Amino acid sequence: MPESTDFVALQDPDVIEGLDYWRTLPIKQQPTWPDASAAEAASAEIATLPPLVFAGEVDKLRERLAAAAQGKAFLLQGGDCAETFAGATADSIRDRVKTILQMAVVLTYGASMPVIKMGRMAGQFAKPRSSDFETRGDVTLPAYRGDIVNGYDFTPESRTADPRRLVQGYHTAASTLNLVRAFTQGGFADLRQVHSWNKGFASNPANARYEHLAKEIDRAIRFMDACGADFEALKHVEFYASHEGLLMDYERPMTRIDSRSGLAYDTSGHFIWIGERTRDLDGAHVDFLSRVRNPIGVKLGPTTSVDDMKALVDKLDPNREPGRLTFITRMGAGKIRDELPKLLEAIKGMDANPLWVTDPMHGNGLTTPTGYKTRRFDDVVDEVLGFFEAHRQVGTYPGGMHVELTGDDVTECLGGSEHIDEATLATRYESLCDPRLNHMQSLELAFLVAEELGAHPHVRA
Ligand SMILES: O=C[C@H](O)[C@H](O)COP(=O)(O)O
Ligand SMILES: C=C(OP(=O)(O)O)C(=O)O
Ligand SMILES: [Mn+2]
């Protein structure tokens, strides 16, 4: 029996043929490469490079997500809206991982529930856009579609799609994932380091609250240590990589056949989601991702009909496999209480059990008069609360949270206990796409969700 890490180039011809069926279907949000043969060559090169994740890891994640869908775990998924090549530095990767680990500690402790940790990391390089073009003054150029496609600088050269970026995207994902694996497997994520994850971040109320929690955890660990407990399990953290499966010239060559099962895995990440703009039932993305074994997410915006949702279940999870399908709702704070319960009621009538996750970011965008894309922290919080309310009302499980965040002290979202206002946004706005919660706002949100999940009284303010 081959190892689970083996991927073979060719097996069942029907499986292989199916993986290219998307090419016959309508497709959205792909770049126009100036030289199609150069893009084909880049994809062919990627197809020869090693997988980034292994089938066995992907299967384990599916089991973890199945537990979350049953209310026995909670998914925390976070990271940049658009990762950049320049941002793949040791410090930036470490601080994002630390932020997610801290949030996970707050949630695990507060909710007494396992937390599945997942980064929008190591592949979140391709962006769908509302418009193909961007105009500044009297100059119009192609929109920035993420570092794997073109550059952010507003010049014709930079904005021209460059297929060499596909290969650079692979290598940047590989080095990011390598460091994430080192951090999470090599002792850094050991729960006994719970204090040190807070070091280096500006001191602020959320950090102080975290310190208080970390002290409690420390005390509990010392007690267990004195009792002779074995801490082997605390040394390593399972950390999964995820991104939007958007750019087919990257996802297709990263898809390999697992030699154990003869089935296809998209080895660019453990979890792949389909965006709100590309979830057409008869479109290329849904077809392609219906054929890979990875757990698949689908973003659901406020206009999602019950019929659309049901058809997505049938297409992406025909066997009703636990952990296979995650719906990531991003309705907007003002709409979630009206729109989500209908979908939840309808799912109760099907024999399906998807994992429900809230993305409180993408339905709450606004642009300031000075041109900054931003979100109000209060709206983010309100959507999360609406998500929990909807699930309580219908009797389904609120199984996770998907957020755009960074470990840096950026000023991209309005509000939070630092009271970031419109004038402050300019001081440290670094995102090339959507605004992210900064370190402190991320921790604040984690405390709030922990309370919602039935927090430990000591964790409450
Ligand atoms: O996450 C991404 C954005 O919401 C998406 O790229 C659309 O952004 P845009 O409206 O600025 O194009
Ligand atoms: C583009 C994104 O989201 P959505 O597809 O929900 O708009 C995103 O997650 O960055
Ligand atoms: Mn985004």
PDB file of all heavy atoms in Angstrom, residues 81 120 127 362 404 434, ligand 3:
ATOM      1  N   CYS A  81      -6.886  39.588   3.712  1.00  0.00           N
ATOM      2  CA  CYS A  81      -7.776  39.506   2.552  1.00  0.00           C
ATOM      3  C   CYS A  81      -6.946  39.042   1.373  1.00  0.00           C
ATOM      4  O   CYS A  81      -7.301  38.089   0.683  1.00  0.00           O
ATOM      5  CB  CYS A  81      -8.403  40.872   2.260  1.00  0.00           C
ATOM      6  SG  CYS A  81      -9.374  40.850   0.742  1.00  0.00           S
ATOM      7  N   ARG A 120      -6.048  31.948   6.602  1.00  0.00           N
ATOM      8  CA  ARG A 120      -6.205  32.367   5.206  1.00  0.00           C
ATOM      9  C   ARG A 120      -4.763  32.653   4.799  1.00  0.00           C
ATOM     10  O   ARG A 120      -4.339  33.804   4.729  1.00  0.00           O
ATOM     11  CB  ARG A 120      -7.019  33.664   5.116  1.00  0.00           C
ATOM     12  CG  ARG A 120      -8.518  33.567   5.222  1.00  0.00           C
ATOM     13  CD  ARG A 120      -9.159  34.974   5.213  1.00  0.00           C
ATOM     14  NE  ARG A 120      -9.006  35.690   3.975  1.00  0.00           N
ATOM     15  CZ  ARG A 120      -9.981  36.031   3.134  1.00  0.00           C
ATOM     16  NH1 ARG A 120     -11.221  35.711   3.399  1.00  0.00           N
ATOM     17  NH2 ARG A 120      -9.728  36.708   2.033  1.00  0.00           N
ATOM     18  N   LYS A 127      -7.462  37.513  -6.118  1.00  0.00           N
ATOM     19  CA  LYS A 127      -8.649  38.246  -5.690  1.00  0.00           C
ATOM     20  C   LYS A 127      -9.679  38.410  -6.810  1.00  0.00           C
ATOM     21  O   LYS A 127      -9.330  38.791  -7.929  1.00  0.00           O
ATOM     22  CB  LYS A 127      -8.244  39.656  -5.237  1.00  0.00           C
ATOM     23  CG  LYS A 127      -7.359  39.715  -4.018  1.00  0.00           C
ATOM     24  CD  LYS A 127      -7.837  38.859  -2.854  1.00  0.00           C
ATOM     25  CE  LYS A 127      -9.215  39.233  -2.315  1.00  0.00           C
ATOM     26  NZ  LYS A 127      -9.686  38.239  -1.309  1.00  0.00           N
ATOM     27  N   HIS A 362     -17.381  40.576   4.949  1.00  0.00           N
ATOM     28  CA  HIS A 362     -17.635  40.953   3.553  1.00  0.00           C
ATOM     29  C   HIS A 362     -19.001  41.543   3.275  1.00  0.00           C
ATOM     30  O   HIS A 362     -19.212  42.092   2.198  1.00  0.00           O
ATOM     31  CB  HIS A 362     -17.321  39.771   2.628  1.00  0.00           C
ATOM     32  CG  HIS A 362     -15.840  39.551   2.518  1.00  0.00           C
ATOM     33  ND1 HIS A 362     -15.163  38.711   3.382  1.00  0.00           N
ATOM     34  CD2 HIS A 362     -14.904  40.122   1.721  1.00  0.00           C
ATOM     35  CE1 HIS A 362     -13.870  38.753   3.096  1.00  0.00           C
ATOM     36  NE2 HIS A 362     -13.688  39.608   2.098  1.00  0.00           N
ATOM     37  N   GLU A 404     -11.001  38.474   8.313  1.00  0.00           N
ATOM     38  CA  GLU A 404      -9.802  39.061   7.726  1.00  0.00           C
ATOM     39  C   GLU A 404      -9.076  39.799   8.848  1.00  0.00           C
ATOM     40  O   GLU A 404      -9.616  40.744   9.439  1.00  0.00           O
ATOM     41  CB  GLU A 404     -10.176  39.975   6.563  1.00  0.00           C
ATOM     42  CG  GLU A 404     -10.684  39.137   5.397  1.00  0.00           C
ATOM     43  CD  GLU A 404     -11.031  39.884   4.151  1.00  0.00           C
ATOM     44  OE1 GLU A 404     -11.326  41.096   4.218  1.00  0.00           O
ATOM     45  OE2 GLU A 404     -11.065  39.249   3.072  1.00  0.00           O
ATOM     46  N   ASP A 434      -9.073  44.281   1.070  1.00  0.00           N
ATOM     47  CA  ASP A 434     -10.059  44.627   2.090  1.00  0.00           C
ATOM     48  C   ASP A 434      -9.396  44.954   3.434  1.00  0.00           C
ATOM     49  O   ASP A 434      -8.318  44.437   3.746  1.00  0.00           O
ATOM     50  CB  ASP A 434     -11.016  43.450   2.314  1.00  0.00           C
ATOM     51  CG  ASP A 434     -11.999  43.288   1.178  1.00  0.00           C
ATOM     52  OD1 ASP A 434     -12.218  44.256   0.434  1.00  0.00           O
ATOM     53  OD2 ASP A 434     -12.535  42.179   1.040  1.00  0.00           O
TER      54      ASP A 434
HETATM   55 MN    MN B   3     -11.730  40.165   1.298  1.00  0.00          MN
END
